[in-house]
Amino acid sequence: MNTLETLLHDDLRSAAGSVDIPVSLNAIVTERDRLVRGDRRSRWVRWALVTVVALLALGGLWWAQGTLWRVPDTAVPNPLQSPAEPLPAPTPEPSASPTSEPTPDTTAGPTASGLPGRTVGVYVHYVAEGPSSLNLVRELRQVPAGTPARGALEALFTAPHDPDYVTLWNPGTRVLGISKHDDVITVDLSREALAFNLGVAGEAMMVDQLVWTLTEAFEATDRVLLRVEGRAFETGHDLYDRPLARADATSSPITVVVDTPVHGSTVASPVRVTGLAAAFEATILWTVTRPDGTTVAEGTAMTDEGMALAPFAFDLPALDPGTYVVAITVDDPSGGVAPAPPSDTKEFTVR
Amino acid sequence: MLDESFTEFVRSSTASLTRTAWLLTGDHALAQDLVQNAYAKTLRAWDRVAGPGALAYARSAVVTGNVDRWRRTRGEVAVGLEFERPSPDRFEDRVADRDRVARMLATLTPTQRRVVVLRYHEDLSEAQTAEALGMTVGAVKSAAHRALAALRSHYPDAAGPARTHPEEGAQR
């Protein structure tokens, strides 16, 4: 009978049985109200946390998307060029005048009326990354003859053919309008144009891409007023609220660009190399190598004018049938002290 | 307006819950706070818990509230030093009795103490105790066994072993 448990049970009952502790309903209700307020507060804090997390996630998505957009997608085919269409400017004419800059057809102007489906070649400007700086480059693209300026801009937002080139513009950008009054070309772009993260140098190069492409499609001396959905273009470093001209740059954004031979083209020997270069004392250096890197030939050539952007044209020595890479760079006046100047390379096949 | 069924519930359960709370704390004021807080939690949930389950809910609230208090004060509550106003009759006996029990319970760990109070004062089964404390039945058995072993020295006259299962030692 007197087990430990029984004794304990009796002891607890006996000791607690004489305890008389009153409780107050008022105190209970007051305490309940305090608890409910605490619930509301913690619920509010929970919602605030959820909101903050959701906003951060959205921001992250926006940022990730913006980053992905800037990756040049060379897998995207050029919508302006049908597969049946050959690469533009396949073979340079050996008889072309070495002093004339190869320019697109002058009907590239906005007033040119082309039949539907007809195309015209326009130089569209892209960017190549050099060892120490960005180099504005250009590529001949076929665009609808009726709307060459719009076509050139739309080509500007797509990937270039040369794998060394990229566009800094968001591929999702749309052209909302292009107009010209006197010498001012006004272009209005969709808000997708604002999705970039390039740094000061990249932003300037991005604007150069557009200014040089549009002034190529109209007149080289025109000025370009860039708008995004009707408002001045703003990069975070600069406000572009006034018309921009090619001449605004203190130095040419193009250091060197090879127009022909076109990357991946098949040409006859002798191969004529043409392009533009801003070279000290007008000297450019050229090298021809096989794809394995062995040098076949090298030499120098002259542009039309030193210290300024000027065309060049010269013939390579006779080459056996096969695939080659030609590299052009400008003379380095510092003798190697300054960072290496940009170069441009093209791979081509001699038939 | 306060629900009639809630005031009735408070009236019918106060004695049981305040005694439990006193056994858990050994202190009049703490026990009162504990029970009022438990009733407040029960009132907040009254729509859900009204009915037969209300007492179990309130008792759980007393026990877990006590856990909170122990955690907050990081240790045992001082017991037996001061007691509530005694009723005039059998004054000395009562005080001595409560003092002894409170001191005895104070030697247990918080978990052992809660198990002992629910098992031997509230007469809950092991399963009910486990549910009220949010423990497994095995943990309740183990805590009760250790508690009884620790309390054995207070009951030199007790018969029957508490060496194995407390349940087996409870043969009458």
Side-chain angles (χ1 to χ4, degrees):
Chain A
M1 272 304 268
N2 279 348
T3 64
L4 175 57
E5 287 167 304
T6 315
L7 290 170
L8 180 58
H9 177 270
D10 294 346
D11 248 1
L12 296 184
R13 283 284 162 132
S14 161
S18 65
V19 170
D20 179 20
I21 301 172
V23 298
S24 150
L25 279 174
N26 274 338
I28 291 168
V29 170
T30 307
E31 177 71 4
R32 190 268 317 261
D33 293 345
R34 199 183 60 81
L35 290 173
V36 168
R37 277 199 303 278
D39 286 351
R40 287 207 196 101
R41 198 162 43 240
S42 60
R43 209 173 306 147
W44 186 89
V45 168
R46 235 180 354 255
W47 275 112
L49 274 175
V50 165
T51 309
V52 165
V53 167
L55 283 174
L56 282 175
L58 276 175
L61 271 177
W62 179 84
W63 178 85
Q65 210 173 0
T67 306
L68 292 176
W69 272 340
R70 276 187 298 285
V71 175
D73 186 357
T74 49
V76 175
N78 174 12
L80 302 175
Q81 192 165 2
S82 65
E85 195 178 357
L87 284 171
T91 315
E93 283 297 316
S95 61
S97 162
T99 55
S100 74
E101 179 192 342
T103 50
D105 195 309
T106 49
T107 58
T111 53
S113 57
L115 292 170
R118 284 218 23 216
T119 61
V120 62
V122 192
Y123 277 118
V124 177
H125 290 74
Y126 297 102
V127 174
E129 195 172 359
S132 62
S133 58
L134 297 173
N135 180 30
L136 191 68
V137 289
R138 63 183 192 177
E139 197 169 82
L140 194 66
R141 299 289 289 254
Q142 296 298 315
V143 301
T147 54
R150 174 179 288 268
L153 276 190
E154 284 167 355
L156 182 70
F157 303 144
T158 64
H161 296 308
D162 190 316
D164 296 335
Y165 296 175
V166 294
T167 183
L168 300 180
W169 287 86
N170 175 3
T173 308
R174 285 168 295 117
V175 180
L176 301 180
I178 305 174
S179 60
K180 185 179 174 184
H181 296 286
D182 299 328
D183 68 337
V184 175
I185 307 159
T186 302
V187 58
D188 194 18
L189 303 177
S190 67
R191 64 176 68 241
E192 286 82 0
L194 297 174
F196 57 83
N197 181 15
L198 299 168
V200 178
E203 287 165 9
M205 200 52 97
M206 176 181 166
V207 172
D208 280 336
Q209 266 193 277
L210 183 119
V211 170
W212 281 66
T213 299
L214 271 179
T215 49
E216 191 77 45
F218 289 90
E219 296 289 330
T221 53
D222 285 345
R223 293 178 296 156
V224 176
L225 184 59
L226 174 53
R227 318 285 284 180
V228 174
E229 305 210 333
R231 304 174 66 166
F233 182 65
E234 219 178 331
T235 63
H237 296 106
D238 259 314
L239 175 65
Y240 294 91
D241 57 350
R242 268 174 288 187
L244 303 155
R246 286 189 183 192
D248 287 349
T250 51
S251 63
S252 168
I254 298 180
T255 304
V256 58
V257 60
V258 177
D259 293 330
T260 64
V262 171
H263 181 83
S265 61
T266 299
V267 294
S269 185
V271 178
R272 163 138 300 205
V273 181
T274 65
L276 300 174
F280 182 73
E281 291 180 343
T283 308
I284 56 172
L285 316 173
W286 58 265
T287 316
V288 177
T289 56
R290 294 193 188 278
D292 65 7
T294 56
T295 303
V296 176
E298 57 189 345
T300 60
M302 302 295 284
T303 67
D304 287 358
E305 188 187 351
M307 306 292 286
L309 185 64
F312 62 81
F314 62 93
D315 287 339
L316 293 176
L319 295 169
D320 295 333
T323 300
Y324 301 91
V325 175
V326 62
I328 310 281
T329 187
V330 295
D331 194 17
D332 179 7
S334 78
V337 175
S343 62
D344 194 16
T345 60
K346 298 291 176 189
E347 185 178 302
F348 62 95
T349 301
V350 174
R351 67 165 76 91
Chain B
M1 272 310 290
L2 209 48
D3 195 321
E4 187 74 22
S5 63
F6 180 75
T7 54
E8 176 52 35
F9 166 70
V10 170
R11 206 171 300 130
S12 64
S13 58
T14 297
S16 162
L17 289 181
T18 52
R19 283 165 193 172
T20 301
W22 179 81
L23 287 170
L24 289 170
T25 62
D27 182 274
H28 181 113
L30 280 181
Q32 188 183 40
D33 280 356
L34 196 56
V35 170
Q36 287 182 165
N37 182 265
Y39 276 135
K41 286 176 181 168
T42 309
L43 176 58
R44 180 181 53 170
W46 192 245
D47 289 345
R48 269 186 302 127
V49 302
L55 183 61
Y57 185 94
R59 194 189 289 123
S60 252
V62 167
V63 177
T64 56
N66 206 32
V67 169
D68 290 344
R69 194 177 297 278
W70 266 318
R71 282 178 189 151
R72 237 176 283 149
T73 57
R74 289 166 161 236
E76 298 287 322
V77 173
V79 295
L81 302 175
E82 196 178 344
F83 287 112
E84 65 276 13
R85 266 190 321 282
S87 45
D89 59 320
R90 289 168 295 163
F91 168 78
E92 306 255 319
D93 285 353
R94 292 269 178 206
V95 170
D97 197 27
R98 285 201 295 261
D99 185 38
R100 181 179 55 78
V101 169
R103 284 178 186 279
M104 181 178 75
L105 290 176
T107 64
L108 301 175
T109 68
T111 299
Q112 288 170 355
R113 187 170 184 163
R114 278 176 281 150
V115 168
V116 164
V117 170
L118 291 180
R119 288 282 285 125
Y120 303 113
H121 178 260
E122 299 282 312
D123 290 330
L124 298 188
S125 71
E126 286 176 339
Q128 286 169 326
T129 304
E131 197 186 336
L133 293 175
M135 294 163 64
T136 64
V137 172
V140 167
K141 277 184 181 172
S142 160
H145 183 70
R146 293 215 180 96
L148 289 179
L151 296 177
R152 177 160 290 277
S153 64
H154 294 271
Y155 297 95
D157 300 337
R163 260 178 254 115
T164 52
H165 288 290
E167 215 63 4
E168 288 165 17
Q171 294 153 3
R172 304 183 181 212

